[in-house]
Amino acid sequence: MLNEIKIKLGKSIFIFSILSIIMLALSGCGDQTTNTDSTKETTVVSEASAESDAVEAEEVREIQHAMGVTKIKGTPQRVVILTNEGTEALLALGIEPVGAVRSWTGEPWYDHIKDEMAGVQELGFENEPNFEAILELNPDLIIGNKVRHEEAYDQLSKIAPTVFSEDLSGQWKINFELYAETLNKKAESEMIMKAFDDRVAQAKEKLGDKEEMKVSVVRFSAKDVRIYQKDTFSGVLLEQMGVGRPESQDVDNFMETVSEEAMETMDGDIMFYWVTESDVYDKANQWLENPVFKSLNVSKKNQVFEVNETIWNTAGGIKAANLLLDDLVERLN
């Protein structure tokens, strides 16, 4: 393929040289040839431009990712995305996927992205994508995640070139960079990330020194109660903003399950929590009304606030990160 490209380029250069000589000869024949020369020159430039576009379309890039190296030809046009945070990355980069896993909540998309997802084929949930539907979409690229889809990698690779990010939790920035490189959108991604980091810097300056403030993040679900630590979607942003965490949460892990006997690990200067299912509110209220919880500093100061789980946790991408930043600035100001 590379030899074919070189031969094509050689032919174009040869044609360009011959035509240039002809135009120089004709230029001495009087004003009547001016328009003809201009037309020929435009034709040659157009041919050279078309040849350059053809070369770019044929360019093969090697993308190193969690499962190895995948060769991507040109710029993918029919992209299937198998993670929620990846969906937000594509939208931010100006790419509408042909198919995407459905949002964890919504019918089938989160409210903050549904307008941009009107024409996208829903492919089931992130942990159980519909392979038959993916095949029918005839994608030229599939993007997934090792944590979610490792066992399906070989099967997906037979459908289209497939690239996996390594992890989820608090790794959305790293994943965003990988997705952008895969999609041939590196320059755009750098601009987007700089804009986000600039917003965080401005928010940090506006809020002042919040390192002494200890922010606790808690999740109530039917299965368990968790404190969320630094390697989480909200934890990464809190650290970037220079906001402090309670000792139990100031560690580079994802989360820790909390028992009622260890309820004091939820304490802080301010606590944000979400409830994963509507029928878990009774459980959450029992904890929040527990005499032990009532004795905690955060409860005595009445600094316990429910937040939106989608924005604080499950969406996990660049668009949710901007919304989370807005929410944090408003609540911490």
Side-chain angles (χ1 to χ4, degrees):
M1 181 60 73
L2 182 59
N3 288 335
E4 290 177 1
I5 292 171
K6 288 181 177 178
I7 290 170
K8 289 180 181 179
L9 285 173
K11 287 181 179 179
S12 295
I13 293 170
F14 176 75
I15 293 169
F16 185 90
S17 300
I18 294 299
L19 289 174
S20 296
I21 293 169
I22 293 171
M23 286 190 285
L24 285 171
L26 290 173
S27 65
C29 297
D31 294 336
Q32 291 179 347
T33 63
T34 301
N35 291 337
T36 303
D37 290 344
S38 176
T39 301
K40 288 181 178 178
E41 187 175 49
T42 300
T43 301
V44 172
V45 171
S46 297
E47 288 177 353
S49 176
E51 195 71 41
S52 176
D53 291 343
V55 172
E56 184 177 342
E58 295 294 322
E59 179 190 8
V60 176
R61 297 173 293 111
E62 292 189 345
I63 306 299
Q64 188 167 354
H65 58 99
M67 302 301 292
V69 176
T70 296
K71 292 182 178 181
I72 305 294
K73 183 178 178 181
T75 301
Q77 301 298 316
R78 296 184 59 80
V79 184
V80 161
I81 182 70
L82 301 181
T83 66
N84 278 253
E85 46 92 37
T87 298
E88 295 202 1
L90 264 63
L91 294 176
L93 291 166
I95 296 171
E96 181 182 289
V98 292
V101 289
R102 67 179 297 155
S103 302
W104 292 113
T105 57
E107 297 296 336
W109 316 117
Y110 294 129
D111 285 344
H112 69 281
I113 63 169
K114 65 182 181 182
D115 290 343
E116 298 176 82
M117 297 288 285
V120 179
Q121 174 68 44
E122 180 255 303
L123 300 173
F125 283 109
E126 190 172 296
N127 55 346
E128 250 182 343
N130 185 327
F131 295 104
E132 185 178 343
I134 294 171
L135 181 62
E136 290 176 355
L137 286 171
N138 191 30
D140 55 11
L141 174 66
I142 300 171
I143 297 176
N145 179 271
K146 185 176 180 180
V147 172
R148 294 283 192 235
H149 315 114
E150 182 175 10
E151 294 181 359
Y153 179 75
D154 290 341
Q155 184 178 352
L156 291 168
S157 295
K158 291 175 183 177
I159 300 174
T162 301
V163 170
F164 277 8
S165 50
E166 180 73 34
D167 204 352
L168 291 170
S169 59
Q171 304 301 307
W172 73 270
K173 281 190 172 186
I174 295 171
N175 295 350
F176 185 81
E177 185 177 343
L178 172 65
Y179 303 153
E181 181 186 3
T182 304
L183 295 161
N184 209 11
K185 295 280 188 178
K186 188 173 180 179
E188 292 90 335
S189 75
E190 289 173 352
M191 292 175 61
I192 291 167
M193 197 54 63
K194 183 181 184 305
F196 176 76
D197 288 339
D198 286 348
R199 289 195 69 219
V200 175
Q202 292 166 7
K204 187 175 180 179
E205 184 177 354
K206 179 180 180 181
L207 292 172
D209 186 10
K210 296 292 184 182
E211 192 171 328
E212 296 303 316
M213 174 183 282
K214 306 304 181 186
V215 174
S216 178
V217 181
V218 175
R219 186 193 86 156
F220 292 96
S221 74
K223 181 180 178 181
D224 55 31
V225 178
R226 301 176 177 181
I227 51 172
Y228 272 52
Q229 297 165 326
K230 292 169 70 175
D231 187 21
T232 56
F233 184 58
S234 58
V236 167
L237 182 53
L238 286 166
E239 183 170 28
Q240 187 177 355
M241 292 176 67
V243 176
R245 305 296 302 278
E247 184 178 352
S248 65
Q249 299 170 38
D250 194 22
V251 290
D252 291 321
N253 291 329
F254 177 62
M255 66 85 186
E256 183 179 324
T257 302
V258 178
S259 66
E260 290 191 56
E261 292 74 23
M263 200 176 285
E264 67 275 3
T265 59
M266 300 162 62
D267 202 8
D269 294 308
I270 184 170
M271 187 182 104
F272 300 117
Y273 74 93
W274 60 85
V275 179
T276 58
E277 304 98 353
S278 59
D279 59 355
V280 179
Y281 274 100
D282 285 344
K283 176 180 179 178
N285 289 332
Q286 287 175 9
W287 276 61
L288 299 178
E289 295 298 323
N290 187 294
V292 176
F293 185 83
K294 287 289 189 180
S295 69
L296 300 182
N297 178 60
V298 71
S299 182
K300 289 179 179 179
K301 291 185 175 181
N302 198 29
Q303 293 296 300
V304 181
F305 304 100
E306 184 180 3
V307 294
N308 185 321
E309 181 186 16
T310 294
I311 303 306
W312 278 71
N313 185 43
T314 54
I318 178 65
K319 289 180 173 289
N322 274 288
L323 294 172
L324 175 55
L325 177 59
D326 293 339
D327 199 18
L328 277 169
V329 171
E330 181 178 350
R331 293 176 184 277
L332 298 177
N333 190 20

